[in-house]
Amino acid sequence: MAALAWLLIPLMAAIGAALWGSWAARNPGRNDGPELAGYARFRAAMAKSHGAPDAAESGLPADLPATGEREQAHQPSDGPAPAVR
């Protein structure tokens, strides 16, 4: 009888997974209008150009290399940052 009780755990997990899967696959486009409109306004605001910032406001050091070469910034897709020794 105890073995049958242990079989209820995966059975309940499978039923829960099926219920969650059916809920997650529902049609999400019913009430997304206001959220999508707000996101469109946010993107439009971020796309606006506010002019070139002053050197003091840019956050960059004033003495950049004169050769015009820039160091490549670390991108999150590059993997972990190299160790500094």
Side-chain angles (χ1 to χ4, degrees):
M1 189 68 176
L4 292 176
W6 277 103
L7 288 175
L8 287 177
I9 295 172
L11 179 65
M12 292 297 157
I15 291 172
L19 289 173
W20 180 83
S22 65
W23 177 78
R26 74 191 191 289
N27 184 8
R30 292 180 287 208
N31 295 323
D32 287 343
E35 289 86 3
L36 292 176
Y39 179 66
R41 287 192 307 270
F42 171 76
R43 286 189 56 165
M46 289 290 119
K48 286 182 182 176
S49 174
H50 296 291
D54 294 337
E57 295 176 0
S58 69
L60 296 175
D63 55 340
L64 288 176
T67 61
E69 295 178 12
R70 289 183 165 175
E71 291 185 28
Q72 184 178 1
H74 176 73
Q75 300 295 324
S77 62
D78 292 341
V84 177
R85 293 181 185 217

